[in-house]
Amino acid sequence: MMDGMGVDLEELRRLRRARDRMDREFATPLDVAELARGAFMSPAHFSRRFREAYSETPHAYLMTRRIERAKALLRDGAGVTEACHAVGCTSLGSFSASFTALVGETPSRYRARRRGEVRGLSCCEVLRVTRPRRRNASSFGEALRAVAV
Amino acid sequence: MTVSLSQAHILVDDPDAALPFYRDALGLDVAADVANAGYRWLSLIAPGHPEVLVVLEQPEAGRSEENGQALAALLAKGELGPVHFRTDDLEATLDAIRATPGATVVQEPVDQFWGVRDAAVRDPAGNLLRIEQAR
């Protein structure tokens, strides 16, 4: 349904539900094709509209969400393979590549360096230290919205 | 000098859908229900806290069409909020929210190390609310 000025509010609501679903179900083998099906759109149309609404692709949002969680698991001492699977990634290679692109170091190096690092920090300090550096973080969760770097 | 919060306004697209959420699920009492110029304002108060009014109003009410539509789009996208509510029984509150049409739980309860157990939900309009219980 279109509401004045060509803004399709019902489509925006379906995008919102898809984003909420990523926040909720990122640890399952969720992918863009499945999210697009749930939003009643083709994958290409879904990705384009999502990017227009949230300034990043659904794939980037999902991976950011997964890597936020993986960082928390690695800090708590989880192994890299364990963290990869726990956040819904099936390929260790693509997980490590995405992690390195977003965080700036490999998951194993991050684990070795950051393990236990945030213990004893206040909650705002933890959020500041651990938020990912992509321009937009997820809407809630382990990190607040990131600033541009 | 003492200043405290007296009113908080929450934008909702559909007052009829919002009322079961705020009144029946959260348990707020309706203090006023005012219609004017095709829009509706619902004022609610939490039992025992008459000093804070929660006002539900539509994005287009009292604004230019352009700004009303911009806010309606942000609301639909889920970009408004969060608003925090506290409860003395998080599980019961979430059960009531799950039973409300259009409302969803987006984060199941977790213990936060700053001393609360909290969950995140969407009201039927798309606002993000965090519901927290002291622990």
Side-chain angles (χ1 to χ4, degrees):
Chain A
M1 184 177 60
M2 306 290 280
D3 299 69
M5 292 177 67
V7 178
D8 187 342
L9 293 178
E10 183 45 43
E11 186 177 77
L12 292 179
R13 290 183 193 109
R14 279 184 276 135
L15 294 173
R16 174 186 95 222
R17 288 183 199 111
R19 190 176 67 162
D20 283 346
R21 188 176 172 196
M22 286 190 263
D23 284 331
R24 225 174 27 237
E25 301 176 21
F26 66 88
T28 68
L30 197 57
D31 59 20
V32 173
E34 171 56 26
L35 287 161
R37 259 195 301 279
F40 308 107
M41 299 179 206
S42 73
H45 183 75
F46 172 69
S47 288
R48 189 167 58 245
R49 292 300 205 198
F50 190 97
R51 187 180 184 138
E52 285 165 7
Y54 300 113
S55 301
E56 66 180 324
T57 63
H59 179 259
Y61 185 87
L62 180 61
M63 290 311 295
T64 304
R65 191 73 190 83
R66 284 175 167 160
I67 287 162
E68 275 181 69
R69 180 66 189 144
K71 286 174 74 178
L73 293 171
L74 292 169
R75 285 195 305 273
D76 286 345
V80 173
T81 307
E82 185 189 349
C84 165
H85 292 136
V87 299
C89 292
T90 46
S91 153
L92 191 57
S94 72
F95 167 76
S96 292
S98 297
F99 189 101
T100 306
L102 187 58
V103 179
E105 60 188 336
T106 63
S108 51
R109 185 167 150 72
Y110 179 87
R111 178 181 186 269
R113 222 156 54 74
R114 302 294 181 90
R115 205 173 152 184
E117 184 185 78
V118 302
R119 234 163 265 157
L121 294 183
S122 76
C123 58
C124 357
E125 287 168 324
V126 170
L127 291 165
R128 185 177 55 75
V129 165
T130 62
R131 68 190 171 188
R133 299 298 177 184
R134 206 198 293 272
R135 203 158 49 78
N136 294 299
S138 67
S139 58
F140 73 93
E142 278 89 14
L144 288 176
R145 192 167 297 283
V147 293
V149 288
Chain B
M1 190 179 77
T2 305
V3 178
S4 65
L5 184 67
S6 59
Q7 282 187 22
H9 291 233
I10 298 175
L11 297 181
V12 298
D13 56 344
D14 180 355
D16 290 327
L19 196 52
F21 179 85
Y22 287 93
R23 181 193 57 196
D24 305 332
L26 298 192
L28 307 183
D29 295 321
V30 177
D33 185 347
V34 176
N36 188 30
Y39 297 111
R40 188 173 168 196
W41 284 262
L42 282 159
S43 300
L44 301 108
I45 48 176
H49 294 279
E51 71 282 5
V52 183
L53 209 54
V54 175
V55 181
L56 307 180
E57 63 180 36
Q58 288 148 287
E60 299 85 356
R63 289 189 180 85
S64 71
E65 189 181 353
E66 188 182 2
N67 285 339
Q69 285 172 353
L71 280 172
L74 288 171
L75 178 60
K77 282 195 269 188
E79 293 289 271
L80 299 187
V83 178
H84 290 225
F85 284 88
R86 66 171 70 85
T87 175
D88 57 11
D89 190 340
L90 183 58
E91 294 300 335
T93 304
L94 290 179
D95 285 346
I97 288 169
R98 286 191 191 95
T100 303
T104 48
V105 175
V106 293
Q107 176 221 294
E108 293 295 327
V110 288
D111 288 336
Q112 306 287 8
F113 61 86
W114 53 89
V116 301
R117 182 168 174 76
D118 79 353
V121 306
R122 293 252 182 232
D123 75 1
N127 290 294
L128 184 69
L129 273 66
R130 299 198 75 96
I131 315 281
E132 58 198 26
Q133 180 176 11
R135 65 182 171 89

